[in-house]
Amino acid sequence: MSKQELLLLDCGVSPFCGRVKIALAEKGVEYESKEENVLGGKSELLLSSNPVYKKVPVLLHNGKPLCESSIIVQYIDEAWPSPPLLPTSPYERAQARFWGDFIEKKVFDGGSKIWKSKGEEIEVAKKDFIETLKQLEGTLGDKDFFGGENFGFVDILLIPLTTWFYSYEKFGDFKVEEECPKFSTWVKRCKQRENVVKALPEPEMVYEVVLMLRKMHGVE
Amino acid sequence: MEEVKLLGFWASPFSDRVIWVLKLKGVNYEYVEEDPYNKTQLLLQRNPVHKKVPVLIHGGKSIAESSIILEYIEETWPQNPLLPQDAYQRAMARFWIKFGEEKMATICAVFRTAGAEQEKAIEEATELLKIMEEKGLGDKKFFGGDAIGLVDIAFGWLACLYEVVEKVSAVKVLDADTFPQLHAWIQNLKVVPVIKENLPDHQKMVGHLKRRRETHLALPNCHN
């Protein structure tokens, strides 16, 4: 398959784009990518490919656009079945989707509350966020990855979000490693994977973006 | 065959959609009515994370979150398929199901508001419904094409519950002139036997939503 058949509309600091890049790398699939200036001016291609949300990532496969990162990852898993990212049994797939949905609802927005808040609200946001991580720790248990022995769907959805944790730690004055050591161990395990490291930005770079976003939101 | 049990609530559109899919697939199940204002130990044990209905219990194992339950049923009982075979079409179906989940609260905000806030809620709902009609439904009879699929089922609340919401809130958002295709879709969906025969009692629902609206409007801040 030639590279031109797959085009990713991307943004380096976006953890949602990170998910798609990791999934494609896990499948050994080649693709083109185009960096979008999401704050400065979105391209015509992005606006026409994702008219509903106007957001990255968008994956164009033979010109057909796919939107929403968790849906894109599932699509990648179905279009290129090997190695599988989701389990085979319907019950285990449902569990993977459940935790994927939990992550969607709680992690990024919960973390954002920390850097968007002022005063006492920061403490509340931090407590809620740590509680979310503890729930994820609970479901991870003693397993290497959320799906068991193999890196998979839930890990792919979650690991890119951790590049924003450094920023939450700075503004919330806490350390994920101290509050949730098992979670931290899982993060380190994922970061030993080349596909993960290559797909994700440095947390310091994300921090610069968060500083800018804070100004835009009038938090500074 | 392993036992199937559904923990649901008669007024919940999330429960309804699971019932419709189970019936469309011809799956026998036991229904257990839960009171969301007085949750049983069974519900709290079976859905400790969100503590909500619906929960499907199959062979002793629990599955929560309605859209996840729908996909589980689709995969476990493949007869009468409700998702497309093609991976791209399947991704599009998931996209619209997710859109519906995320935007339902906004589309129903007319219910929780009054006055100027309600005016704004009507505008926002209209915008979202336009997107659904133009980009999701288009000229198709159903979101799934010629026959109903999971997207139609996931949007079933719009066809059945929403008119009660509008009545109780004294507004009209989804009118036939503004939304001709959606209006036609609603008429087509309502006559599908499984849906027609498995709707909550209309009068009971009107009473229930009237009381819920009064509760919302009595809150110090009229928004959730």
Side-chain angles (χ1 to χ4, degrees):
Chain A
M1 186 180 288
S2 70
K3 266 190 183 181
Q4 281 77 31
E5 296 182 16
L6 269 180
L7 174 64
L8 174 65
L9 304 185
D10 188 17
C11 171
V13 291
S14 160
F16 307 101
C17 295
R19 292 169 170 176
V20 177
K21 288 184 277 202
I22 294 171
L24 288 167
E26 289 290 306
K27 302 285 186 175
V29 174
E30 291 195 336
Y31 61 98
E32 294 273 0
S33 76
K34 180 181 177 301
E35 185 78 12
E36 285 282 335
N37 183 358
V38 295
L39 295 175
K42 294 174 183 179
S43 71
E44 268 311 303
L45 181 59
L46 175 57
L47 296 175
S48 62
S49 304
N50 191 356
V52 176
Y53 292 110
K54 305 176 177 52
K55 284 184 181 177
V56 289
V58 176
L59 184 69
L60 290 133
H61 188 194
N62 295 324
K64 294 202 274 194
L66 294 135
C67 310
E68 294 296 286
S69 58
S70 60
I71 291 171
I72 298 173
V73 171
Q74 287 189 73
Y75 173 81
I76 290 168
D77 198 36
E78 291 174 12
W80 294 273
S82 183
L85 303 176
L86 274 167
T88 34
S89 89
Y91 176 70
E92 284 174 34
R93 290 160 72 83
Q95 292 310 298
R97 288 181 176 128
F98 178 88
W99 289 104
D101 177 70
F102 178 87
I103 289 162
E104 290 289 73
K105 285 177 169 137
K106 302 272 202 172
V107 180
F108 192 73
D109 287 350
S112 296
K113 280 200 178 116
I114 299 173
W115 63 257
K116 281 181 180 170
S117 296
K118 287 178 183 170
E120 286 164 15
E121 288 173 1
I122 302 176
E123 225 15 67
V124 175
K126 180 181 99 183
K127 273 181 87 175
D128 286 344
F129 183 74
I130 291 167
E131 182 53 42
T132 297
L133 295 191
K134 284 199 192 298
Q135 281 184 289
L136 288 168
E137 264 188 338
T139 195
L140 177 66
D142 292 323
K143 305 195 295 291
D144 277 354
F145 299 107
F146 281 87
E149 288 172 2
N150 298 315
F151 183 74
F153 181 72
V154 177
D155 309 284
I156 291 174
L157 259 54
L158 185 54
I159 193 64
L161 298 175
T162 67
T163 56
W164 286 58
F165 287 13
Y166 171 72
S167 303
Y168 309 153
E169 287 171 332
K170 292 272 269 190
F171 291 111
D173 188 26
F174 69 105
K175 286 251 179 287
V176 171
E177 185 149 23
E178 283 164 21
E179 303 284 345
C180 307
K182 271 189 167 180
F183 188 91
S184 237
T185 307
W186 167 81
V187 173
K188 287 181 187 142
R189 188 176 298 124
C190 289
K191 283 187 161 167
Q192 284 170 351
R193 302 176 70 87
E194 199 186 330
N195 288 340
V196 170
V197 171
K198 275 185 167 179
L200 299 185
E202 289 298 325
E204 288 82 6
M205 187 173 130
V206 173
Y207 180 66
E208 294 300 315
V209 172
V210 173
L211 284 175
M212 198 168 56
L213 290 171
R214 270 169 67 95
K215 285 206 178 81
M216 282 169 60
H217 277 86
V219 189
E220 288 292 337
Chain B
M1 199 162 70
E2 288 178 310
E3 190 188 71
V4 180
K5 202 180 268 195
L6 172 63
L7 309 184
F9 176 50
W10 70 271
S12 163
F14 305 103
S15 279
D16 285 346
R17 54 171 72 151
V18 178
I19 290 171
W20 295 336
V21 173
L22 287 169
K23 288 195 183 280
L24 282 165
K25 301 273 188 177
V27 177
N28 289 323
Y29 66 98
E30 182 196 338
Y31 178 77
V32 177
E33 184 71 35
E34 281 281 339
D35 178 356
Y37 310 105
N38 189 13
K39 295 173 186 181
T40 63
Q41 271 309 304
L42 177 63
L43 175 59
L44 297 174
Q45 275 165 16
R46 291 298 184 165
N47 189 2
V49 176
H50 299 302
K51 305 176 176 53
K52 284 181 182 178
V53 293
V55 179
L56 191 76
I57 306 172
H58 181 208
K61 294 185 187 164
S62 324
I63 302 106
E65 292 300 290
S66 64
S67 55
I68 293 168
I69 296 173
L70 296 191
E71 287 228 40
Y72 174 81
I73 297 171
E74 176 73 2
E75 290 177 6
T76 307
W77 292 279
Q79 65 271 25
N80 191 10
L82 298 168
L83 273 178
Q85 293 299 306
D86 172 71
Y88 183 78
Q89 293 304 325
R90 208 157 43 244
M92 290 311 294
R94 288 181 180 133
F95 176 89
W96 287 107
I97 292 170
K98 191 166 190 249
F99 179 88
E101 305 274 273
E102 284 173 11
K103 304 302 184 185
M104 189 187 193
T106 308
I107 295 170
C108 293
V110 293
F111 173 72
R112 299 188 297 275
T113 51
E117 261 201 278
Q118 194 183 53
E119 286 298 318
K120 185 163 177 255
I122 294 172
E123 269 179 42
E124 288 176 353
T126 304
E127 215 179 292
L128 290 171
L129 291 169
K130 265 287 152 202
I131 291 173
M132 278 169 68
E133 188 183 59
E134 285 168 14
K135 309 235 182 284
L137 183 61
D139 292 326
K140 304 194 298 288
K141 185 178 180 188
F142 296 109
F143 284 87
D146 292 327
I148 70 164
L150 276 194
V151 180
D152 302 281
I153 287 170
F155 285 158
W157 61 271
L158 195 61
C160 309
L161 182 61
Y162 200 59
E163 59 189 12
V164 185
V165 167
E166 287 173 314
K167 181 175 177 172
V168 159
S169 314
V171 296
K172 189 68 192 160
V173 184
L174 226 179
D175 65 277
D177 291 330
T178 317
F179 300 101
Q181 274 109 306
L182 267 182
H183 186 76
W185 167 77
I186 289 171
Q187 306 318 308
N188 287 325
L189 196 69
K190 276 171 146 179
V191 298
V192 171
V194 157
I195 298 197
K196 188 175 164 184
E197 289 156 21
N198 292 284
L199 287 174
D201 179 80
H202 183 83
Q203 280 309 114
K204 198 175 168 191
M205 185 58 94
V206 170
H208 172 75
L209 287 185
K210 270 195 176 142
R211 285 188 295 277
R212 295 291 304 140
R213 178 165 162 81
E214 276 159 28
T215 311
H216 277 293
L217 294 181
L219 293 171
N221 293 311
C222 268
H223 44 263
N224 279 10

